[in-house]
Amino acid sequence: MDAMAQDRPLVTRFAPSPTGFLHIGGARTALFNWLYARHFGGTFRLRIEDTDRERSKPEAIDALLQGLSWLGLDWDGDVVFQFARAARHAEIAHQLLAQGKAYYCYATPDELEEMRNQQKAEGKPQRYDGRWRDRAPDDSRRNVRPAIRIKCPQTGDTLIEDRVQGDVRFRNDVLDDFIILRSDGTPTYMLSVVVDDFDMGVTHVIRGDDHLTNAARQRQIIDAMGWPVPVYAHLPMLHGPDGAKLSKRHGAQGIHEFEGMGYLPEAMRNYLLRLGWSHGDDELISTEQAIQWFDLDAVQKSPARLDYKKLDFVNGHYIREADDARLAELVIAHRQSKGEPTATDHQRQMLIAGMKGLKERAKTIIELADSAAYVFASRPLPLDEKARLVLTPQAQTANTAIAMSISNVEWKAGKLEEVVRAFAATHGLRLGDVAQPIRAALTGKTTSPPIFDVMEILGKEETLLRLNSSPKSNN
RNA sequence: GCGCCCUUCGUCUAUCGGUUAGGACUCAAGAUUUUCAAUCUUGCAAGAGGGGUUCGAUUCCCCUAGGGCGCGCCA
């Protein structure tokens, strides 16, 4: 069955509805499609399924495109807009009608609802009963505009050979004749998907497993048209940390929210990849490596939950790997988004110089920005609670003495450390005893990158001023 | 109700009939250390339940339970 599909150049696609933002689950679906295409040198297409005019929003299209771009998932060719292709979809419906593979159904929505209610009351499966299946077009119903339903086989079964789910068999008698063209002449999703996939040359349909049963329906249209059957791969869904379906209740759902929380796109790619896909014991997998390794065989069948702790770990790894200047810009952008003024050139330079020590300690850009605050702070420094406790009057006296002792030292971290160590030794103190007050005075916190590096980055003048300036109060 | 899918440590997962069931995150302890991280070491922790098949089942089959999805003139 895959044979026909495999004769054609490999094409995957991501086909979201523009109803909001790029959902985290959708992002993973897009990632898998993208990786599969890139791995096999195929094409990754993007299609916007905007046939539901009520729910489609133009802003949502931008959000989708932006989300994908941010994630680094570049698509090939033009974006296809499904609604624009409605005439083509209708054409296929009429073709099927002409071939006797579809038929007009004059049942009104009210009649259908009544039918379903009755089925429900009788405990029978709810599906279209085929009441117009074998009737000739009815002139007596000229006041009713008919919909077009596809005529599905009623015996035998439909097999979906899914690369993730395995062989899934549906008895044809549980499938009903569904509508492919509405009475207003617009196509339904079932039809549009199949026609677009065919016209776009899609060979591999990789999507959420909420579409698994749809595949059996779509297969009816494909068979009726005699089109090649794509390879299917239905991915398990993503759940919230509590195992329930992902919803507003879980906080972040949109990819843009993860960006706002300070996650890096490469970290998201790695983390999302490992949700449902594995390569032995490998955890930290670069995108290049993922492209080399990715295939559908290693996709898990069961749903996965989002785990922020693990995401943080992965993000921390990529922050440490990231370029200092890039991180500096992300920190500055984050500060600006919070209403802080832009960085001066000098601050930017200090930030980059200090990034090596900073990025080792952060799991998100927010944490990074937080610990980088000392670069931007002005005197007197705001102290956090712990720093305030450290900076006792005695500690300040010591800081003043230290400031004195280093005021003529060559301004290099190594030299400064030598002198301060000697200072501590002559006073019978451990380095830690003097380092913490210095840290508090220089950064306003009790945790920071190595303190002599901080001195070097801050520069002599600023360091001495911070050591000597006394915070307003030291209760 | 009908159909389909899923079920290994708290979480993500490895295992493709024979393992002391492995790794990662988290958590705990230790090493290192000027703080915090990073790193390293160690530890806690799992095959939903019940039947089969088999010399042997986490692995294959069936049932039950639990979870998910679909059953629209929504996508």
Side-chain angles (χ1 to χ4, degrees), chain A residues 225-367:
Chain A
M225 289 303 297
W227 285 341
V229 180
V231 173
Y232 287 108
H234 287 93
L235 273 23
M237 315 249 53
L238 236 45
H239 288 169
D242 59 356
K245 190 183 176 182
L246 212 51
S247 66
K248 306 104 246 165
R249 195 161 51 79
H250 294 113
Q253 293 184 90
I255 201 74
H256 65 285
E257 295 173 276
F258 287 84
E259 178 183 7
M261 288 186 286
Y263 295 107
L264 259 21
E266 60 267 42
M268 292 304 296
R269 288 195 296 269
N270 190 153
Y271 179 71
L272 252 20
L273 174 68
R274 282 289 291 104
L275 247 33
W277 181 85
S278 60
H279 184 272
D281 286 339
D282 294 303
E283 295 287 347
L284 266 6
I285 303 169
S286 72
T287 300
E288 297 67 40
Q289 192 61 260
I291 290 171
Q292 280 180 39
W293 284 341
F294 190 79
D295 202 345
L296 264 9
D297 305 317
V299 176
Q300 189 84 5
K301 295 170 84 169
S302 51
R305 307 179 187 199
L306 237 35
D307 178 7
Y308 285 96
K309 289 283 180 52
K310 179 92 172 255
L311 211 206
D312 282 346
F313 165 78
V314 173
N315 202 52
H317 167 79
Y318 285 99
I319 283 181
R320 272 171 260 135
E321 300 248 298
D323 175 74
D324 293 344
R326 172 188 171 208
L327 291 174
E329 294 314 314
L330 288 172
V331 165
I332 292 167
H334 178 259
R335 288 176 57 83
Q336 280 182 280
S337 75
K338 285 179 54 183
E340 306 280 354
T342 357
T344 63
D345 285 346
H346 179 55
Q347 287 172 331
R348 181 177 264 105
Q349 278 166 24
M350 286 195 292
L351 186 56
I352 294 173
M355 194 53 77
K356 189 178 178 301
L358 252 14
K359 69 183 181 183
E360 221 175 292
R361 295 165 170 74
K363 295 199 183 312
T364 65
I365 296 300
I366 293 177
E367 284 182 17

Side-chain angles (χ1 to χ4, degrees), chain A residues 43-320:
Chain A
T43 303
F44 171 62
R45 304 286 313 267
L46 178 61
R47 180 172 74 226
I48 303 294
E49 308 215 318
D50 56 351
T51 54
D52 185 338
R53 305 316 286 170
E54 303 263 305
R55 288 200 285 177
S56 294
K57 289 176 284 189
E59 322 86 73
I61 295 172
D62 286 345
L64 245 18
L65 265 41
Q66 266 176 38
L68 287 172
S69 299
W70 178 77
L71 245 195
L73 306 184
D74 52 319
W75 56 91
D76 301 309
D78 293 332
V79 176
V80 171
F81 291 91
Q82 193 161 61
F83 180 69
R85 297 178 35 80
R88 164 67 175 159
H89 304 154
E91 177 193 332
I92 296 299
H94 285 104
Q95 193 174 318
L96 253 14
L97 188 67
Q99 295 173 237
K101 291 173 176 170
Y103 59 90
Y104 281 125
C105 172
Y106 292 84
T108 63
D110 286 348
E111 288 173 359
L112 293 173
E113 197 188 326
E114 193 193 319
M115 175 191 78
R116 279 184 213 105
N117 286 338
Q118 198 174 339
Q119 289 168 336
K120 194 168 185 176
E122 293 172 16
K124 288 202 265 191
Q126 293 170 53
R127 59 180 83 107
Y128 178 69
D129 60 8
R131 56 183 65 185
W132 289 92
R133 182 179 167 102
D134 296 309
R135 288 218 237 169
D138 191 343
D139 284 346
S140 70
R141 288 266 196 154
R142 291 185 62 162
N143 53 327
V144 177
R145 296 181 68 83
I148 296 179
R149 285 180 187 270
I150 183 153
K151 195 180 280 186
C152 295
Q154 294 172 306
T155 58
D157 49 31
T158 296
L159 175 66
I160 299 298
E161 295 175 79
D162 194 280
R163 285 290 300 279
V164 172
Q165 306 292 336
D167 286 358
V168 184
R169 217 170 276 277
F170 297 88
R171 292 214 321 274
N172 287 338
D173 58 25
V174 306
L175 265 27
D176 61 1
D177 291 347
F178 56 94
I179 290 173
I180 56 176
L181 199 74
R182 299 187 189 96
S183 50
D184 65 0
T186 60
T188 60
Y189 164 76
M190 254 3 129
L191 209 218
S192 300
V193 167
V194 170
V195 176
D196 286 347
D197 281 345
F198 173 73
D199 285 349
M200 291 164 74
V202 173
T203 56
H204 292 70
V205 173
I206 302 170
R207 66 215 321 185
D209 72 6
D210 49 339
H211 286 287
L212 185 56
T213 47
N214 288 337
R217 291 200 150 74
Q218 288 160 201
R219 181 66 191 272
Q220 307 309 325
I221 302 174
I222 292 169
D223 287 349
M225 289 303 297
W227 285 341
V229 180
V231 173
Y232 287 108
H234 287 93
L235 273 23
M237 315 249 53
L238 236 45
H239 288 169
D242 59 356
K245 190 183 176 182
L246 212 51
S247 66
K248 306 104 246 165
R249 195 161 51 79
H250 294 113
Q253 293 184 90
I255 201 74
H256 65 285
E257 295 173 276
F258 287 84
E259 178 183 7
M261 288 186 286
Y263 295 107
L264 259 21
E266 60 267 42
M268 292 304 296
R269 288 195 296 269
N270 190 153
Y271 179 71
L272 252 20
L273 174 68
R274 282 289 291 104
L275 247 33
W277 181 85
S278 60
H279 184 272
D281 286 339
D282 294 303
E283 295 287 347
L284 266 6
I285 303 169
S286 72
T287 300
E288 297 67 40
Q289 192 61 260
I291 290 171
Q292 280 180 39
W293 284 341
F294 190 79
D295 202 345
L296 264 9
D297 305 317
V299 176
Q300 189 84 5
K301 295 170 84 169
S302 51
R305 307 179 187 199
L306 237 35
D307 178 7
Y308 285 96
K309 289 283 180 52
K310 179 92 172 255
L311 211 206
D312 282 346
F313 165 78
V314 173
N315 202 52
H317 167 79
Y318 285 99
I319 283 181
R320 272 171 260 135

